[in-house]
Amino acid sequence: MNIQDLKQIASALMAGDKGLLAMDESLPTCNKRFAEVGIPLTVEYRRAYRELIVTAPNLGECISGAILFDETIYQATADGVLFVDILKQAGIIPGIKVDAGTVNLAGFPGEKVTEGLDDLRDRLNKYYSLGARFAKWRAVITIGEGIPTDGCIEANTHALARYAALCQEAGLVPIVEPEVLMDGDHTIEQCYEVTGKTIQKLFEQLATQRVNLQGLILKPNMVIAGKDCPKQNWVDEVATATVNCLLESVPAEVAGVAFLSGGQSAEDATAHLQAMNIKFAGKLPWPLTFSFARAIQQPALAIWKGNPENVKAAQQMLYFRASMNNAARRGEYSVDKESAVGK
C-alpha cells in the first residue's frame, strides 16, 4: 500500500465541485429499471445504455469518478473502445463495485448482510490491472420493529472494514457505504440515531483493521425520515440533521463524504446537498459531495427508452442533472435552474 497514492486518488475524487456517478447497478436492478420504461432486458441494451453514459459530452466537467459493475468494466463502445479508456480520456477515474450483494443474516430475521469477501484480494488485483483506482462496498441497514440489532450492525461494519483494508493493500481507494434505508415509516430522529450508531461502529472496525482514513471515502445516507413516515421534514432540517450526525460520528481524517441518494427524487437529493454546503460552508473537516445513481441517471433513462434517436436528449439530461449537483456543491443551485435543461 502506498498511502500517498491513495490520498492523491481520494483527493482527486473529491476535488472542486465534482462528484461521483454510481453506474454500478447489478443485473437484477438494471433489468428492473429497464422494465419500468419498456427497454428490452438484454446485455446489448445494457451495453448501449452504458455507452450513452460514458460518451455523454462534457461529463468530465461534472464527474470525477464513475463506479462500474463487473459486466461494465469489460464493455466497450460499438466502435470497440473500452469504457474504462473513454472515462480516463474524459478525466474521470474508473471505480468498481466489488460486493456480491446482500443475503439474509442467519439468526436475525428481517436483516441482511453483504457478501463478497471470498476471493476479494484476487478480484481487487484484477480490477486494478483493468484500470480501476477505487472500489465500493454497500451494506444495508433496515429500521423496523426491534431492528437494526447490534449483531447486524457489527456483521456489516466488520465486512466493510475488511474490504477497505484489502482495497488499500491493492492500491484502490475504498468507498465504504453503510446505507440506512429509507424504507419504512421511521422518523428523522430514528434515522439520526441508527445512522450515527452505524457509522461510529464502522469507524471502530476500520481502526481495528488498520485502515488509513486519509485514503478512504465515506458514502452515507442522508438523515431523513422513512418514505412512509407521515411527517416529511423540510430541506434545512434534513441538511442540519445529516451534518450534525456526521460531525458526531466521522473522524476529521476521512478524505471526504460522498452521499448516496437512497431513493430520493433527483430534485430533493440535490436540494439537500445544496443546503448542507451553504449552511456549513467552511465549518467542516471534510468535503461533502454526491455519489448518486438514480438521482442522476433515471431522468435520462426515461428519455432514452432504448431508442437510438433519443441518445442525444438523454445525454443532455444526464449532463444537466450532474451539473445541478455541481451547482449544489458550490451552493449555487436553485429550483429555477431546473427549467434550463436543453437550453
Side-chain angles (χ1 to χ4, degrees), residues 138 140-143 179-187 191 221-229 232 238 260-265 268-269 272 294:
R138 173 177 178 256
V140 297
I141 306 295
T142 301
I143 299 176
E179 179 179 3
V180 177
L181 298 174
M182 284 179 63
D183 300 335
D185 60 0
H186 54 271
T187 64
C191 184
N221 54 281
M222 297 181 190
V223 175
I224 194 168
K227 288 185 286 189
D228 298 325
C229 181
Q232 295 295 316
V238 171
L260 57 91
S261 52
Q264 300 177 66
S265 71
D268 284 350
H272 289 142
R294 275 174 289 180

Side-chain angles (χ1 to χ4, degrees), residues 21-25 34 46-60 63 66-68 72 83 86-87 90 92 293 296-298 300-301 304 311 314-315 318-319:
L21 175 60
M23 48 181 294
D24 59 339
E25 298 89 351
F34 276 20
R46 291 195 300 272
R47 190 209 59 77
Y49 175 55
R50 288 155 181 164
E51 178 174 347
L52 179 159
I53 294 172
V54 301
T55 60
N58 306 315
L59 191 62
I63 301 298
I67 310 171
L68 307 178
T72 318
F83 291 164
I86 290 178
L87 291 170
I92 299 172
I296 293 178
Q297 291 186 52
Q298 193 62 35
L301 182 65
W304 179 55
V311 167
Q315 289 179 326
L318 185 80
Y319 174 82

Side-chain angles (χ1 to χ4, degrees), residues 95-141:
I96 183 72
K97 166 189 165 75
V98 298
D99 67 73
T102 61
V103 295
N104 292 332
L105 181 59
F108 294 82
E111 298 191 285
K112 302 283 188 180
V113 68
T114 303
E115 294 190 325
L117 289 173
D118 292 345
D119 78 1
L120 181 57
R121 175 180 276 123
D122 291 340
R123 290 192 291 122
L124 292 172
N125 289 329
K126 177 186 68 175
Y127 290 136
Y128 186 93
S129 71
L130 292 170
R133 289 298 177 266
F134 70 99
K136 190 201 84 168
W137 179 291
R138 173 177 178 256
V140 297
I141 306 295

Side-chain angles (χ1 to χ4, degrees), residues 250-255 285-286:
V250 182
E253 296 89 344
V254 170
W286 7 254

